[in-house]
Amino acid sequence: MSIDPARLPPHIKGRIYLFDFNNPEKDAVELDLNGDFERKHFYPHGISIYEDSDLGELRIFAVNHHISGKDRIEIFKYDEKKRSLNHLKTVMGKTIYSVNDVVAVGPESFYYTNDKYFVNKWGRVFEAMTRVAWGTVGFYDNGKDSIVATGLCFANGINISPDMRHVYVSTTFGGEVFVYERKGDNSLKEIKQIKLYSGLDNIEVDMHTGDLWLGCHPVLHTLTEHMSNISNPGGSQVLRLRLGETVTQSSNVDITEVFVDDGSIINSQTVASYYEGKLLIGTLFGKTAFCEVKHA
């Protein structure tokens, strides 16, 4: 799996943008990044928002694929008046090595996915070609990081239920959503696998209903072709999962395909964020799409 070099560091600049669902006709706004961290080597991937009601703060957690090859998580505080992010902390660890996504569960604590085991080029090629399930989920808190789930075939998106009791993980090559019960010590117990027969990417959760919104690659070879040459179209798909109030291995899941495209509108979608009947769709390299969702 190769990527167009023009889309890789140091030829790009990492940025974080703010989009207002209530004013979708306005452009997304780039947020200023301030603080004592290596701004020129900031290459974000997955992000998570944590609202600290005790401190009255909004914090942004961002995966950073540092140019050194040592992945890390950057933690920022959002300044609403200045529309900027002030850097608070950089987190690194032995089990934070091939990070794809992050979900915050406290002011400085979070779960994260490692999509692969190897960090070198040929090891990654081997994993991609053989589809071995060597992806993992890790947890960090109070200066300690550890692996809490294993056996995932390219662990990708991660998110948490509104009540913070269940953790959701998507696998790209496995095409499954894993549902875990979160224990008191922050370990995870697998309680359900949901097979979706698509290349799954990021997971967003509707905090009002608990629905899962997944950005997907319905035909995986079009993703790899688009990554190698952005002029090649890549397919996109949005799936909504409704799990119900009680989640067990045998419980039913309502699955709805909300959006699908062969690359005519957007290419290789990675994320679908839903808010009050509106959907923002992000892609791997290019445009975003905004649409209204009318439920039957």
Side-chain angles (χ1 to χ4, degrees):
M1 186 184 298
S2 61
I3 301 178
D4 182 354
R7 299 283 171 171
L8 294 174
H11 305 292
I12 58 172
K13 179 182 178 181
R15 299 176 170 91
I16 295 179
Y17 287 86
L18 175 69
F19 177 82
D20 187 351
F21 274 88
N22 294 317
N23 295 285
E25 68 282 352
K26 294 184 178 180
D27 290 337
V29 177
E30 181 180 349
L31 300 178
D32 291 331
L33 304 179
N34 305 313
D36 184 20
F37 78 114
E38 296 180 85
R39 173 66 183 89
K40 67 178 181 179
H41 296 321
F42 179 59
Y43 300 106
H45 195 167
I47 61 174
S48 178
I49 299 173
Y50 181 77
E51 186 173 0
D52 192 322
S53 56
D54 293 332
L55 297 176
E57 291 181 354
L58 202 65
R59 294 193 173 194
I60 307 296
F61 292 60
V63 175
N64 181 9
H65 295 306
H66 193 273
I67 199 168
S68 67
K70 296 181 179 180
D71 286 356
R72 57 204 64 191
I73 307 296
E74 309 290 357
I75 303 176
F76 301 89
K77 181 174 74 172
Y78 177 56
D79 187 326
E80 186 175 6
K81 291 183 179 179
K82 295 182 179 179
R83 289 198 169 185
S84 64
L85 295 176
N86 299 314
H87 187 262
L88 299 175
K89 186 174 184 176
T90 297
V91 178
M92 300 175 65
K94 290 183 178 180
T95 67
I96 302 173
Y97 52 85
S98 182
V99 188
N100 193 298
D101 199 11
V102 60
V103 60
V105 296
E108 292 186 0
S109 57
F110 52 86
Y111 291 93
Y112 52 94
T113 55
N114 289 306
D115 48 29
K116 301 183 186 71
Y117 172 78
F118 288 108
V119 295
N120 62 76
K121 177 182 177 181
W122 294 112
R124 289 173 176 268
V125 170
F126 169 78
E127 286 189 70
M129 295 294 292
T130 59
R131 305 289 175 91
V132 289
W134 289 351
T136 60
V137 177
F139 178 75
Y140 173 88
D141 183 40
N142 197 29
K144 298 180 181 180
D145 62 284
S146 61
I147 297 299
V148 293
T150 60
L152 302 167
C153 194
F154 200 100
N156 197 314
I158 186 168
N159 219 312
I160 197 162
S161 60
D163 60 10
M164 308 286 277
R165 293 176 52 216
H166 295 103
V167 172
Y168 311 115
V169 178
S170 63
T171 62
T172 302
F173 294 154
E176 294 173 310
V177 171
F178 287 74
V179 182
Y180 298 94
E181 181 183 354
R182 185 184 177 204
K183 297 298 186 177
D185 60 356
N186 293 302
S187 62
L188 299 179
K189 177 185 178 182
E190 182 186 322
I191 58 173
K192 191 175 185 65
Q193 294 181 27
I194 306 167
K195 189 71 174 179
L196 295 173
Y197 302 98
S198 189
L200 310 183
D201 212 298
N202 288 294
I203 304 173
E204 296 298 316
V205 176
D206 185 329
M207 288 295 126
H208 297 294
T209 66
D211 292 349
L212 277 59
W213 292 79
L214 286 91
C216 310
H217 309 283
V219 185
L220 269 176
H221 75 80
T222 68
L223 168 63
T224 58
E225 291 166 2
H226 181 67
M227 291 172 68
S228 300
N229 185 340
I230 61 170
S231 64
N232 295 326
S236 296
Q237 182 186 44
V238 175
L239 297 177
R240 185 197 68 193
L241 274 60
R242 186 161 288 167
L243 301 179
E245 295 183 3
T246 302
V247 182
T248 65
Q249 183 60 44
S250 60
S251 60
N252 293 327
V253 179
D254 180 51
I255 303 169
T256 302
E257 184 181 66
V258 179
F259 174 87
V260 66
D261 178 51
D262 63 359
S264 301
I265 302 174
I266 56 172
N267 282 297
S268 295
Q269 171 210 340
T270 59
V271 62
S273 185
Y274 177 84
Y275 175 73
E276 294 187 354
K278 303 165 188 174
L279 190 65
L280 181 66
I281 301 172
T283 62
L284 188 64
F285 294 131
K287 301 177 181 179
T288 57
F290 178 83
C291 57
E292 294 184 357
V293 180
K294 296 183 179 179
H295 299 286

